[in-house]
Amino acid sequence: MLTKSDDPTPIEARAGGPLRGKVRVPGDKSISHRALILGALAVGETRISGLLEGEDVLNTAKSMRALGARVERRGDFAWVVQGVGVSGFAQPGVPLDFGNSGTGCRLVMGAVAGCPIAAVFDGDASLRSRPMRRVLDPLELMGARVTAGGDGGRLPLTLTGARDPVPVVYRTPVPSAQIKSAVLLAGLAAPGVTTVIEQEASRDHTELMLKHFGAEIVVNPEGPFGRRIALTGQAELHGVEIIVPADPSSAAFPLVAALIVGGSDIMLNDVMTNPLRTGLFKTLREMGASIEEIEARSDTGEPMAQLRVRASRLHGVEVPPERAPSMIDEYLVLAVAASFAEGTTVMHGLKELRVKESDRLEATAAMLRVNGVAVEISGDDLIVQGGGHVPGGGLVTTHMDHRIAMSALVMGLASDRPVKVDDAGFIATSFPNFIPMMRSLGAELS
Ligand code: S3P
């Protein structure tokens, strides 16, 4: 596992008074990446407001520029993209560097696979260690070629797009919105219908946004939990307006903090509540959390609401494996909540956590253990013994993973002794103002 960046920023969190106030966490990361990529593949102008200006998304913006789109920042979180049209990407003169971002990298691989150009894909040490075969396999079936980089399974690598991409019917081997999206983005350039079948539905932002840009896309249920998505290729996408709602995966951090810090009562504005993203909220409610949805609306193309969160007594629960895709990025912070709960929480089916920004299954267990929480990994399950309080006092290794850093700091806000993280620098990939925003709610971070 990765341990350090060149210039680590250690931070410590300690218990203080209740958290109070109203905040809007930054724009949704998944939607921000997709807005830039589809904007670049559309004809005409796409105006985006509320874009997440985190490092991951900024790297996607840079890659869209390198591929020939005009991408301009017009004000705070307000961006305009002049697209080049489907199949219109130009050969980039520089390697595309996605930094820490698996989503940016894998989605752009899909978009490039449908264009007759070659591009070098690269990233930081964390991204270089992550599997790319899962995306390259279907893209090769569609006619793309991987022409560098060992077995082609790790970055850096060169991807040559297909001159005449072939539509496919592809069954994703694991529930992954990144794999699904890569195939659909490549399918935009193919003649005929590209179909993706997933056994368990993963986040559907690509499908919703493709429709918004004018593509013909039909989604049907497949089995008890899955979906069949059929996209008609050689689509003409036209520029649109996109409002990015607040990211539920970022909202998860102040939300869990408010639940575990006694007396807290906070409001989270404009949080996206797409059911394929809200498994954490559902699970926390089952644990006894007070999370109230106020002013639900969907004027952004995605459902969203204001959330009122009050400190709550939590109890352990069993989290079923089929819920994993709807909360795949939230298990770290759920494990923090489970540590403060009374009783045992069992989280089933967490295999995919092993291939995120770090091995999050091991890293979560280590984060809890070093802070005195009894935790066990059994196969793909994580078992946390909650004791109603957490001793704390640990130094948590972040492994270049933003969500480990934020989860550990949330833990420290309610533990008996402070919790320190070795490097909070990676928080900037998804939630650049995390520290000041948490401080504005009353959190003690220094
Ligand atoms: C994402 C999909 C998920 C998630 C990631 C964002 C997306 O990854 O972990 O943070 O925007 O499509 P997988 O699709 O690989 O599970």
Side-chain angles (χ1 to χ4, degrees), residues 58-81:
L58 297 179
N59 281 324
T60 293
K62 247 188 248 167
S63 76
M64 291 302 105
R65 280 194 197 111
L67 289 162
R70 250 183 52 205
V71 182
E72 280 173 37
R73 185 177 191 269
R74 291 275 172 89
D76 286 351
F77 320 112
W79 290 64
V80 174
V81 182

Side-chain angles (χ1 to χ4, degrees), residues 29-30 34 103 106 134 175-178 203 328-329 356:
K29 184 150 70 71
S30 295
R34 287 158 173 81
T103 307
R106 292 185 177 127
R134 48 176 53 202
S176 161
Q178 295 181 0
R203 64 191 70 193
I328 195 64
D329 293 334
K356 294 297 176 188

Side-chain angles (χ1 to χ4, degrees), residues 28-31 33-34 102-104 106-107 130 134 174-181 202-203 205-206 249 277 325 328-329 352 355-357 360 402-403:
D28 186 70
K29 184 150 70 71
S30 295
I31 293 186
H33 284 298
R34 287 158 173 81
T103 307
R106 292 185 177 127
L107 267 56
R130 296 180 66 186
R134 48 176 53 202
V174 289
S176 161
Q178 295 181 0
I179 303 176
K180 168 177 66 180
S181 302
S202 63
R203 64 191 70 193
H205 309 304
T206 302
S249 299
R277 294 288 298 282
I328 195 64
D329 293 334
E352 276 296 293
V355 290
K356 294 297 176 188
E357 284 83 332
R360 284 187 177 160
H402 53 138
R403 298 200 204 278

